[in-house]
């Protein structure tokens, strides 16, 4: 299983979040860098199996603000839940990590 680790210390705003996640999960040049595009990529395009670990999540939460952070986390969790509900053998998994 591929493990992709977002470094929350490098996330200072939505732009830096989208840049990092796009690079880690190989979204390519056509990623729209918005929440709808994130959902589309996570639910359809990300090669599985993959575990996305968001390190230093509380640092990102402070930088992004609660509303944006919660929206992003919800998108990741919904994509992971969708895989589990469909009993996909190769799944997207997601976890928040604070050292």
């Amino acid at each position: 299983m591929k493990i992709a680790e977002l470094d929350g210390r490098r996330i200072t705003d939505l732009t830096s979040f989208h840049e990092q996640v796009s690079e880690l999960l190989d979204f390519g040049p056509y990623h729209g860098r918005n929440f709808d595009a994130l959902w589309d990529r996570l639910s359809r395009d990300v090669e599985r199996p993959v575990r996305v670990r968001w390190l230093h999540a509380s640092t990102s939460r402070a930088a992004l603000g609660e509303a944006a952070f919660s929206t992003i986390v919800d998108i990741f969790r919904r994509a992971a839940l969708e895989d589990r509900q469909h009993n996909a053998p190769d799944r997207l998994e997601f976890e928040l990590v604070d050292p």
Side-chain angles (χ1 to χ4, degrees):
M1 171 180 288
K2 176 182 176 179
I3 297 178
E5 294 184 332
L6 288 168
D7 184 350
R9 297 170 298 186
R10 291 182 39 221
I11 296 172
T12 58
D13 55 20
L14 282 173
T15 299
S16 61
F17 164 77
H18 284 291
E19 287 172 356
Q20 191 175 158
V21 77
S22 180
E23 180 181 319
L24 282 174
L25 298 175
D26 195 26
F27 287 173
Y30 302 108
H31 174 51
R33 299 182 186 269
N34 60 59
F35 296 143
D36 289 334
L38 178 63
W39 167 253
D40 289 344
R41 292 294 187 155
L42 290 177
S43 65
R44 297 183 190 130
D45 299 331
V46 171
E47 187 175 337
R48 286 147 167 80
V50 63
R51 172 175 290 160
V52 178
R53 301 181 75 224
W54 192 335
L55 307 175
H56 306 281
S58 61
T59 302
S60 302
R61 177 182 278 132
L64 293 169
E66 189 61 39
F69 180 82
S70 294
T71 299
I72 294 166
V73 168
D74 181 57
I75 292 168
F76 273 101
R77 287 183 174 157
R78 284 189 301 133
L81 177 63
E82 188 173 271
D83 282 359
R84 285 193 310 273
Q85 288 176 332
H86 289 100
N87 292 319
D90 295 327
R91 299 178 183 177
L92 179 140
E93 297 177 4
F94 175 70
E95 64 181 313
L96 297 173
V97 181
D98 271 304

XYZ file of all heavy atoms in Angstrom:
812
model
N 0.844 -1.172 0.000
C 0.000 0.000 0.000
C 0.895 1.243 0.000
O 1.816 1.364 0.795
C -0.897 0.011 1.236
C -1.648 1.319 1.403
S -2.735 1.390 2.840
C -4.040 0.301 2.309
N 0.583 2.151 -0.883
C 1.286 3.432 -0.915
C 0.858 4.265 0.286
O -0.323 4.306 0.630
C 0.957 4.181 -2.212
C 1.568 5.567 -2.272
C 1.171 6.294 -3.537
C 1.729 7.710 -3.516
N 1.396 8.447 -4.713
N 1.823 4.932 0.910
C 1.516 5.860 1.993
C 1.929 7.246 1.534
O 3.088 7.477 1.177
C 2.230 5.478 3.301
C 1.722 4.115 3.778
C 2.008 6.563 4.363
C 2.370 3.596 5.019
N 0.957 8.148 1.508
C 1.200 9.536 1.116
C 1.029 10.397 2.356
O -0.024 10.370 2.991
C 0.210 9.955 0.029
N 2.075 11.133 2.699
C 2.036 11.931 3.918
C 2.031 13.421 3.601
O 2.984 13.952 3.019
C 3.225 11.590 4.819
C 3.147 10.178 5.347
C 4.254 9.841 6.315
O 5.352 10.422 6.217
O 4.005 8.968 7.176
N 0.936 14.058 3.983
C 0.851 15.508 3.906
C 1.585 16.076 5.115
O 1.350 15.633 6.236
C -0.605 15.970 3.969
C -1.479 15.725 2.766
C -2.934 15.971 3.122
C -1.064 16.635 1.632
N 2.442 17.036 4.903
C 3.161 17.663 6.006
C 2.436 18.946 6.384
O 2.542 19.964 5.694
C 4.608 17.959 5.604
C 5.433 18.534 6.740
O 4.866 18.900 7.799
O 6.657 18.622 6.575
N 1.698 18.889 7.471
C 0.902 20.028 7.912
C 1.718 21.266 8.213
O 1.196 22.380 8.155
N 2.989 21.106 8.481
C 3.848 22.265 8.737
C 4.095 23.064 7.469
O 4.436 24.246 7.535
C 5.183 21.821 9.345
C 5.024 21.154 10.703
C 6.296 20.514 11.150
N 6.663 19.458 10.190
C 7.668 18.625 10.341
N 8.438 18.706 11.403
N 7.922 17.702 9.436
N 3.912 22.433 6.314
C 4.110 23.124 5.032
C 2.815 23.691 4.464
O 2.830 24.317 3.400
C 4.718 22.153 4.016
C 6.150 21.768 4.348
C 6.764 20.832 3.317
N 6.401 21.145 1.952
C 6.094 20.230 1.024
N 6.112 18.950 1.315
N 5.776 20.604 -0.198
N 1.715 23.471 5.152
C 0.426 23.976 4.686
C 0.140 25.284 5.416
O -0.114 25.297 6.618
C -0.684 22.944 4.921
C -0.409 21.696 4.084
C -2.051 23.541 4.593
C -1.325 20.525 4.372
N 0.192 26.371 4.672
C -0.005 27.692 5.256
C -1.291 28.365 4.788
O -1.729 29.342 5.376
C 1.184 28.608 4.920
O 1.306 28.681 3.489
C 2.480 28.061 5.522
N -1.875 27.814 3.717
C -3.113 28.351 3.148
C -3.672 27.307 2.178
O -3.079 26.237 2.005
C -2.866 29.695 2.449
C -1.775 29.634 1.383
O -1.445 28.524 0.891
O -1.241 30.693 1.023
N -4.797 27.614 1.559
C -5.410 26.642 0.644
C -4.527 26.354 -0.568
O -4.478 25.223 -1.047
C -6.786 27.129 0.192
C -7.898 26.945 1.198
C -9.183 27.614 0.711
C -8.142 25.470 1.486
N -3.829 27.355 -1.044
C -2.951 27.144 -2.197
C -1.869 26.123 -1.876
O -1.632 25.188 -2.655
C -2.322 28.480 -2.646
O -3.376 29.371 -3.039
C -1.368 28.274 -3.816
N -1.225 26.275 -0.728
C -0.158 25.325 -0.379
C -0.723 23.935 -0.101
O -0.068 22.931 -0.400
C 0.665 25.830 0.803
O -0.126 26.002 1.956
N -1.946 23.844 0.432
C -2.577 22.536 0.607
C -2.769 21.866 -0.752
O -2.384 20.717 -0.949
C -3.927 22.639 1.318
C -4.745 21.389 1.159
C -4.449 20.258 1.904
C -5.751 21.309 0.208
C -5.144 19.072 1.716
C -6.460 20.141 0.019
C -6.163 19.023 0.781
N -3.391 22.585 -1.691
C -3.677 21.990 -2.997
C -2.388 21.625 -3.734
O -2.335 20.585 -4.404
C -4.547 22.926 -3.841
C -5.975 22.940 -3.427
N -6.816 21.859 -3.597
C -6.719 23.893 -2.826
C -8.019 22.150 -3.132
N -7.979 23.382 -2.648
N -1.360 22.431 -3.609
C -0.088 22.106 -4.254
C 0.492 20.813 -3.689
O 0.931 19.942 -4.436
C 0.914 23.252 -4.058
C 0.598 24.466 -4.896
C 1.468 25.671 -4.569
O 2.288 25.598 -3.620
O 1.311 26.696 -5.251
N 0.472 20.697 -2.365
C 1.066 19.515 -1.744
C 0.264 18.244 -2.050
O 0.834 17.220 -2.412
C 1.190 19.712 -0.221
C 2.026 18.650 0.410
C 2.277 18.859 1.889
O 2.576 17.885 2.565
N 2.163 20.054 2.420
N -1.056 18.303 -1.917
C -1.863 17.106 -2.157
C -1.809 16.705 -3.636
O -1.773 15.524 -3.962
C -3.308 17.281 -1.644
C -4.155 18.140 -2.570
C -3.972 15.937 -1.418
N -1.767 17.692 -4.511
C -1.675 17.404 -5.943
C -0.375 16.687 -6.280
O -0.356 15.732 -7.055
C -1.782 18.712 -6.734
O -1.693 18.462 -8.104
N 0.708 17.133 -5.670
C 2.006 16.504 -5.893
C 2.049 15.090 -5.310
O 2.482 14.144 -5.966
C 3.102 17.357 -5.262
C 4.491 16.806 -5.437
C 5.524 17.687 -4.761
O 5.413 18.929 -4.850
O 6.445 17.122 -4.134
N 1.576 14.940 -4.075
C 1.625 13.636 -3.403
C 0.791 12.573 -4.098
O 1.176 11.411 -4.156
C 1.142 13.763 -1.963
C 2.131 14.342 -0.968
C 1.459 14.536 0.375
C 3.335 13.442 -0.826
N -0.374 12.966 -4.577
C -1.289 11.993 -5.160
C -1.316 12.046 -6.683
O -2.171 11.438 -7.314
C -2.693 12.193 -4.578
C -2.774 11.977 -3.066
C -4.165 12.313 -2.548
C -2.386 10.555 -2.692
N -0.371 12.776 -7.264
C -0.193 12.824 -8.711
C -1.475 13.229 -9.443
O -1.945 12.530 -10.342
C 0.317 11.473 -9.215
C 0.869 11.564 -10.632
O 1.307 12.661 -11.036
O 0.854 10.535 -11.333
N -2.028 14.384 -9.053
C -3.246 14.873 -9.693
C -3.010 15.421 -11.091
O -3.934 15.578 -11.863
C -3.896 15.975 -8.854
C -4.572 15.489 -7.598
C -5.059 16.406 -6.689
C -4.745 14.152 -7.315
C -5.696 15.994 -5.534
C -5.370 13.728 -6.163
C -5.847 14.657 -5.268
N -1.781 15.729 -11.420
C -1.481 16.245 -12.748
C -1.829 17.720 -12.889
O -2.320 18.355 -11.965
N -1.609 18.257 -14.073
C -1.770 19.701 -14.289
C -3.222 20.170 -14.346
O -3.476 21.369 -14.336
C -1.073 19.936 -15.624
C -1.215 18.631 -16.340
C -1.134 17.570 -15.264
N -4.167 19.260 -14.383
C -5.556 19.671 -14.578
C -6.373 19.673 -13.293
O -7.590 19.795 -13.335
C -6.222 18.784 -15.637
C -5.471 18.844 -16.940
C -4.724 17.775 -17.384
C -5.463 20.016 -17.694
C -4.007 17.841 -18.563
C -4.747 20.101 -18.873
C -4.020 19.018 -19.301
O -3.307 19.095 -20.465
N -5.719 19.565 -12.159
C -6.416 19.638 -10.874
C -6.929 21.064 -10.687
O -6.174 22.024 -10.762
C -5.474 19.242 -9.736
C -6.040 19.415 -8.371
N -7.265 18.912 -7.994
C -5.562 20.052 -7.280
C -7.499 19.226 -6.733
N -6.477 19.923 -6.282
N -8.223 21.200 -10.431
C -8.855 22.502 -10.338
C -8.513 23.292 -9.092
O -8.863 24.455 -8.975
N -7.863 22.657 -8.116
C -7.437 23.335 -6.892
C -8.601 23.982 -6.149
O -8.527 25.121 -5.703
C -6.330 24.337 -7.173
C -5.094 23.668 -7.752
C -3.966 24.631 -8.001
N -2.877 23.975 -8.683
C -1.865 23.383 -8.083
N -1.782 23.367 -6.789
N -0.904 22.812 -8.787
N -9.684 23.211 -6.043
C -10.832 23.620 -5.252
C -11.440 22.362 -4.640
O -11.018 21.248 -4.938
C -11.850 24.409 -6.102
C -12.382 23.596 -7.257
O -12.969 22.539 -7.081
N -12.161 24.077 -8.476
N -12.432 22.532 -3.780
C -12.979 21.379 -3.059
C -13.697 20.391 -3.975
O -13.608 19.182 -3.768
C -13.908 21.842 -1.942
C -13.200 22.640 -0.866
C -13.836 23.705 -0.267
C -11.915 22.336 -0.457
C -13.209 24.444 0.732
C -11.264 23.064 0.532
C -11.916 24.128 1.118
N -14.394 20.877 -4.983
C -15.065 19.960 -5.914
C -14.046 19.124 -6.690
O -14.228 17.919 -6.882
C -15.947 20.734 -6.898
C -17.181 21.322 -6.236
O -17.635 20.772 -5.206
O -17.690 22.347 -6.739
N -12.971 19.763 -7.117
C -11.931 19.034 -7.848
C -11.231 18.029 -6.936
O -10.899 16.919 -7.372
C -10.914 20.018 -8.425
N -11.033 18.396 -5.676
C -10.428 17.459 -4.725
C -11.297 16.217 -4.592
O -10.804 15.092 -4.636
C -10.241 18.141 -3.365
C -9.668 17.265 -2.255
C -8.259 16.794 -2.589
C -9.683 18.030 -0.927
N -12.598 16.400 -4.430
C -13.515 15.262 -4.334
C -13.438 14.398 -5.594
O -13.356 13.173 -5.513
C -14.952 15.718 -4.097
C -15.912 14.599 -4.303
C -16.773 14.424 -5.350
C -16.090 13.449 -3.461
N -17.463 13.241 -5.202
C -17.064 12.631 -4.058
C -15.505 13.032 -2.260
C -17.479 11.431 -3.497
C -15.921 11.834 -1.701
C -16.892 11.045 -2.321
N -13.473 15.039 -6.755
C -13.420 14.282 -8.009
C -12.159 13.437 -8.093
O -12.224 12.255 -8.444
C -13.475 15.231 -9.211
C -14.839 15.873 -9.400
O -15.829 15.390 -8.806
O -14.912 16.885 -10.136
N -11.032 14.008 -7.755
C -9.773 13.275 -7.827
C -9.723 12.140 -6.804
O -9.333 11.021 -7.130
C -8.575 14.210 -7.615
C -8.375 15.183 -8.734
C -7.996 14.455 -9.995
N -7.655 15.414 -11.025
C -6.864 15.156 -12.034
N -6.322 13.975 -12.168
N -6.617 16.055 -12.936
N -10.118 12.438 -5.564
C -10.061 11.401 -4.522
C -11.032 10.267 -4.798
O -10.722 9.101 -4.556
C -10.356 12.004 -3.148
C -9.295 12.927 -2.577
C -9.773 13.501 -1.254
C -7.972 12.200 -2.394
N -12.204 10.573 -5.279
C -13.217 9.538 -5.462
C -13.059 8.760 -6.760
O -13.572 7.644 -6.864
C -14.621 10.144 -5.388
O -14.835 11.044 -6.458
N -12.324 9.312 -7.734
C -12.254 8.645 -9.034
C -10.854 8.349 -9.534
O -10.643 7.365 -10.243
C -12.947 9.517 -10.087
C -14.401 9.714 -9.812
C -15.051 10.517 -10.904
N -16.408 10.882 -10.473
C -16.905 12.077 -10.521
N -16.197 13.065 -11.007
N -18.124 12.314 -10.106
N -9.906 9.225 -9.243
C -8.635 9.165 -9.960
C -7.436 8.675 -9.166
O -6.428 8.311 -9.759
C -8.289 10.548 -10.523
C -9.334 11.044 -11.512
O -9.982 10.216 -12.167
O -9.501 12.273 -11.617
N -7.502 8.724 -7.855
C -6.341 8.353 -7.056
C -6.143 6.845 -7.109
O -7.074 6.076 -6.839
C -6.502 8.833 -5.593
C -5.406 8.275 -4.708
C -6.502 10.350 -5.544
N -4.927 6.453 -7.464
C -4.620 5.028 -7.537
C -4.644 4.421 -6.141
O -4.080 4.940 -5.200
C -3.240 4.820 -8.168
C -2.925 3.373 -8.421
C -1.609 3.185 -9.160
O -1.157 4.120 -9.837
O -1.049 2.093 -9.041
N -5.327 3.323 -6.017
C -5.475 2.609 -4.768
C -4.728 1.293 -4.832
O -4.509 0.795 -5.909
C -6.960 2.375 -4.474
C -7.663 3.665 -4.025
C -9.101 3.627 -4.517
N -9.969 4.615 -3.931
C -10.034 5.876 -4.293
N -9.226 6.351 -5.216
N -10.902 6.709 -3.728
N -4.324 0.733 -3.732
C -4.560 1.167 -2.358
C -3.592 2.287 -1.966
O -2.436 2.315 -2.400
C -4.294 -0.079 -1.527
C -3.288 -0.841 -2.318
C -3.619 -0.555 -3.778
N -4.104 3.203 -1.155
C -3.292 4.303 -0.672
C -3.801 4.744 0.699
O -5.007 4.742 0.950
C -3.294 5.503 -1.651
C -4.688 6.083 -1.816
C -2.316 6.576 -1.207
N -2.872 5.040 1.578
C -3.211 5.614 2.881
C -2.659 7.032 2.901
O -1.462 7.242 2.713
C -2.603 4.820 4.020
C -2.791 5.534 5.384
C -2.316 4.710 6.520
N -3.266 3.605 6.637
C -2.998 2.470 7.251
N -1.823 2.278 7.805
N -3.897 1.520 7.326
N -3.553 7.988 3.096
C -3.152 9.382 3.214
C -3.066 9.709 4.699
O -4.053 9.578 5.422
C -4.147 10.322 2.502
C -3.724 11.776 2.684
C -4.252 9.964 1.022
N -1.879 10.101 5.122
C -1.642 10.478 6.520
C -1.359 11.977 6.553
O -0.425 12.440 5.908
C -0.445 9.721 7.086
C -0.635 8.207 7.037
C 0.552 7.470 7.613
N 0.470 7.614 9.068
C 1.508 7.909 9.845
N 2.693 8.117 9.335
N 1.354 8.015 11.139
N -2.168 12.715 7.293
C -1.980 14.158 7.405
C -1.241 14.416 8.704
O -1.828 14.413 9.779
C -3.327 14.855 7.380
C -3.259 16.347 7.202
C -2.241 17.176 7.522
C -4.291 17.166 6.659
N -2.565 18.466 7.221
C -3.816 18.492 6.687
C -5.561 16.900 6.162
C -4.581 19.561 6.238
C -6.321 17.961 5.720
C -5.835 19.273 5.750
N 0.076 14.606 8.584
C 0.917 14.841 9.744
C 0.798 16.295 10.203
O 0.580 17.190 9.389
C 2.376 14.539 9.399
C 2.656 13.159 8.799
C 4.116 13.043 8.395
C 2.272 12.061 9.771
N 0.955 16.509 11.507
C 0.874 17.864 12.077
C -0.447 18.527 11.679
O -0.486 19.695 11.279
C 2.070 18.707 11.650
C 3.380 18.069 11.970
N 3.919 18.089 13.235
C 4.241 17.356 11.205
C 5.067 17.436 13.226
N 5.278 16.961 12.017
N -1.511 17.759 11.801
C -2.834 18.226 11.375
C -3.264 19.482 12.125
O -3.898 20.366 11.543
C -3.859 17.111 11.545
N -2.941 19.587 13.402
C -3.372 20.763 14.164
C -2.685 22.037 13.663
O -3.279 23.118 13.707
C -3.128 20.569 15.655
O -1.753 20.385 15.912
N -1.484 21.907 13.150
C -0.789 23.064 12.570
C -1.530 23.532 11.322
O -1.728 24.728 11.107
C 0.675 22.695 12.236
O 1.321 22.253 13.436
C 1.425 23.868 11.647
N -1.959 22.581 10.501
C -2.733 22.918 9.300
C -4.075 23.523 9.668
O -4.527 24.475 9.028
C -2.995 21.672 8.454
O -1.814 21.056 8.080
N -4.712 22.976 10.673
C -6.011 23.487 11.115
C -5.896 24.969 11.485
O -6.729 25.786 11.092
C -6.535 22.688 12.297
C -7.851 23.226 12.836
C -8.330 22.456 14.050
N -8.998 21.257 13.591
C -8.771 20.038 14.080
N -7.904 19.841 15.052
N -9.433 19.010 13.606
N -4.853 25.307 12.216
C -4.652 26.705 12.620
C -4.400 27.606 11.404
O -4.896 28.725 11.341
C -3.497 26.804 13.608
N -3.623 27.102 10.441
C -3.286 27.906 9.262
C -4.470 28.068 8.307
O -4.669 29.146 7.741
C -2.104 27.274 8.522
N -5.246 27.003 8.129
C -6.352 27.023 7.171
C -7.631 27.626 7.739
O -8.471 28.110 6.984
C -6.664 25.599 6.693
C -5.595 24.912 5.862
C -5.928 23.434 5.689
C -5.452 25.601 4.510
N -7.780 27.535 9.040
C -9.050 27.923 9.651
C -9.937 26.696 9.768
O -9.829 25.751 8.971
N -10.792 26.716 10.760
C -11.619 25.536 11.046
C -12.537 25.156 9.898
O -12.692 23.975 9.590
C -12.443 25.776 12.320
C -13.153 24.550 12.817
C -12.211 23.411 13.194
O -11.139 23.671 13.778
O -12.550 22.241 12.904
N -13.150 26.116 9.238
C -14.103 25.802 8.168
C -13.436 25.082 6.999
O -13.907 24.029 6.551
C -14.802 27.070 7.686
N -12.329 25.623 6.497
C -11.646 25.003 5.357
C -11.063 23.650 5.751
O -11.187 22.666 5.004
C -10.544 25.917 4.833
N -10.433 23.590 6.927
C -9.844 22.339 7.390
C -10.916 21.254 7.498
O -10.738 20.140 7.008
C -9.145 22.548 8.736
C -8.504 21.310 9.280
C -7.253 20.910 8.846
C -9.146 20.538 10.236
C -6.651 19.761 9.351
C -8.559 19.395 10.746
C -7.309 19.006 10.298
N -12.035 21.584 8.118
C -13.122 20.604 8.287
C -13.683 20.147 6.956
O -14.012 18.967 6.789
C -14.234 21.201 9.153
O -13.775 21.417 10.459
N -13.795 21.045 6.005
C -14.293 20.677 4.674
C -13.353 19.687 4.006
O -13.785 18.680 3.439
C -14.472 21.929 3.796
O -15.435 22.792 4.410
C -14.932 21.558 2.399
N -12.055 19.947 4.080
C -11.065 19.055 3.476
C -11.098 17.675 4.137
O -11.117 16.642 3.453
C -9.660 19.668 3.565
C -9.573 20.927 2.703
C -8.594 18.650 3.151
C -8.346 21.789 2.980
N -11.111 17.661 5.454
C -11.147 16.394 6.192
C -12.405 15.613 5.821
O -12.355 14.397 5.599
C -11.047 16.632 7.713
C -11.365 15.370 8.494
C -9.656 17.153 8.070
N -13.531 16.293 5.715
C -14.779 15.633 5.341
C -14.676 15.010 3.950
O -15.149 13.896 3.731
C -15.931 16.633 5.391
C -17.257 15.998 5.047
O -17.652 15.019 5.727
O -17.914 16.464 4.080
N -14.049 15.684 3.024
C -13.891 15.146 1.667
C -13.060 13.867 1.696
O -13.429 12.859 1.078
C -13.271 16.206 0.734
C -14.269 17.353 0.506
C -12.837 15.583 -0.597
C -13.661 18.579 -0.147
N -11.939 13.893 2.415
C -11.118 12.690 2.524
C -11.891 11.551 3.190
O -11.839 10.408 2.735
C -9.842 12.972 3.327
C -8.709 13.500 2.507
C -8.414 14.859 2.513
C -7.924 12.654 1.752
C -7.354 15.347 1.768
C -6.860 13.133 1.007
C -6.580 14.492 1.012
N -12.591 11.859 4.261
C -13.327 10.817 4.981
C -14.464 10.242 4.146
O -14.711 9.039 4.185
C -13.845 11.357 6.314
C -12.717 11.537 7.311
C -13.205 11.996 8.651
N -12.091 12.004 9.607
C -12.060 12.738 10.695
N -13.078 13.524 11.008
N -11.017 12.693 11.501
N -15.145 11.083 3.388
C -16.216 10.575 2.510
C -15.666 9.661 1.428
O -16.278 8.635 1.098
C -17.002 11.730 1.885
C -17.971 12.391 2.836
C -18.886 13.381 2.149
N -18.136 14.444 1.501
C -18.346 14.881 0.266
N -19.284 14.353 -0.492
N -17.629 15.863 -0.245
N -14.520 10.018 0.861
C -13.911 9.163 -0.172
C -13.510 7.815 0.419
O -13.735 6.766 -0.203
C -12.706 9.864 -0.792
N -12.936 7.829 1.613
C -12.551 6.575 2.266
C -13.791 5.747 2.612
O -13.807 4.528 2.422
C -11.735 6.866 3.521
N -14.829 6.400 3.103
C -16.071 5.707 3.451
C -16.715 5.083 2.217
O -17.206 3.951 2.262
C -17.043 6.671 4.128
C -18.409 6.109 4.483
C -18.281 4.971 5.498
C -19.314 7.212 5.029
N -16.700 5.797 1.123
C -17.276 5.266 -0.115
C -16.583 3.961 -0.521
O -17.240 3.000 -0.905
C -17.161 6.306 -1.222
C -17.892 5.932 -2.486
C -17.877 7.063 -3.486
O -18.782 7.906 -3.449
O -16.932 7.095 -4.318
N -15.260 3.926 -0.412
C -14.534 2.695 -0.736
C -14.940 1.558 0.197
O -15.137 0.421 -0.235
C -13.023 2.913 -0.640
C -12.450 3.642 -1.846
O -13.211 3.976 -2.769
O -11.218 3.858 -1.852
N -15.042 1.848 1.500
C -15.438 0.806 2.462
C -16.857 0.317 2.185
O -17.131 -0.881 2.241
C -15.344 1.334 3.902
C -13.928 1.438 4.416
C -13.858 1.659 5.920
N -14.700 2.726 6.424
C -14.356 4.004 6.498
N -13.164 4.387 6.086
N -15.190 4.894 6.989
N -17.771 1.227 1.900
C -19.160 0.842 1.662
C -19.308 -0.018 0.417
O -20.206 -0.843 0.339
C -20.050 2.078 1.549
C -20.268 2.767 2.868
C -21.065 4.054 2.743
O -21.052 4.724 1.714
N -21.765 4.400 3.802
N -18.424 0.167 -0.545
C -18.474 -0.634 -1.769
C -17.580 -1.873 -1.675
O -17.372 -2.565 -2.673
C -18.076 0.219 -2.978
C -19.112 1.236 -3.331
N -19.016 2.553 -2.961
C -20.285 1.118 -3.988
C -20.069 3.206 -3.383
N -20.863 2.362 -4.015
N -17.045 -2.121 -0.487
C -16.166 -3.267 -0.267
C -15.038 -3.344 -1.287
O -14.674 -4.432 -1.749
C -16.968 -4.576 -0.264
C -17.876 -4.672 0.933
O -17.493 -4.307 2.041
N -19.095 -5.132 0.720
N -14.519 -2.186 -1.633
C -13.418 -2.148 -2.593
C -12.204 -2.860 -2.000
O -11.811 -2.565 -0.881
C -13.080 -0.700 -2.926
N -11.630 -3.783 -2.737
C -10.459 -4.493 -2.200
C -9.246 -3.564 -2.059
O -8.440 -3.732 -1.158
C -10.202 -5.592 -3.222
C -10.878 -5.138 -4.464
C -12.021 -4.263 -4.053
N -9.123 -2.611 -2.954
C -8.051 -1.611 -2.885
C -8.707 -0.293 -2.521
O -9.517 0.235 -3.280
C -7.321 -1.496 -4.225
C -6.580 -2.774 -4.570
O -6.102 -3.452 -3.644
O -6.484 -3.083 -5.774
N -8.331 0.227 -1.360
C -9.056 1.374 -0.815
C -8.166 2.576 -0.568
O -6.959 2.455 -0.412
C -9.677 1.003 0.533
C -10.653 -0.117 0.454
C -11.178 -0.463 1.806
N -12.072 -1.605 1.683
C -12.657 -2.188 2.695
N -12.466 -1.754 3.899
N -13.460 -3.209 2.488
N -8.841 3.704 -0.461
C -8.226 4.904 0.055
C -8.490 4.921 1.566
O -9.619 4.682 1.991
C -8.842 6.148 -0.586
C -8.276 7.487 -0.106
C -8.135 8.439 -1.279
C -9.141 8.118 0.952
N -7.450 5.110 2.327
C -7.583 5.253 3.776
C -7.055 6.625 4.152
O -6.187 7.175 3.474
C -6.801 4.166 4.502
C -7.301 2.776 4.203
C -6.454 1.699 4.874
O -5.524 2.039 5.627
O -6.717 0.515 4.610
N -7.577 7.186 5.251
C -7.206 8.535 5.647
C -7.084 8.606 7.156
O -7.893 8.047 7.881
C -8.280 9.520 5.174
C -8.050 10.922 5.624
C -7.011 11.672 5.119
C -8.883 11.501 6.560
C -6.789 12.985 5.538
C -8.675 12.804 6.990
C -7.636 13.548 6.478
N -6.043 9.315 7.603
C -5.899 9.526 9.041
C -5.231 10.870 9.322
O -4.400 11.341 8.540
C -5.104 8.391 9.688
C -3.672 8.279 9.232
C -2.932 7.127 9.894
O -3.022 6.978 11.127
O -2.243 6.405 9.161
N -5.640 11.465 10.428
C -5.011 12.687 10.931
C -4.005 12.277 11.989
O -4.311 11.437 12.843
C -6.059 13.601 11.559
C -7.141 14.131 10.621
C -8.194 14.888 11.415
C -6.547 15.012 9.545
N -2.817 12.881 11.942
C -1.756 12.510 12.855
C -1.152 13.773 13.445
O -0.779 14.692 12.726
C -0.635 11.713 12.143
C 0.451 11.329 13.120
C -1.210 10.496 11.444
N -1.071 13.791 14.767
C -0.343 14.842 15.469
C 0.666 14.163 16.366
O 0.303 13.307 17.173
C -1.285 15.720 16.291
C -1.826 16.888 15.481
O -1.008 17.642 14.956
O -3.059 17.019 15.381
N 1.940 14.534 16.223
C 2.968 13.866 17.025
C 2.816 14.148 18.511
O 2.203 15.061 18.928
C 4.273 14.451 16.505
C 3.938 15.561 15.597
C 2.482 15.556 15.363
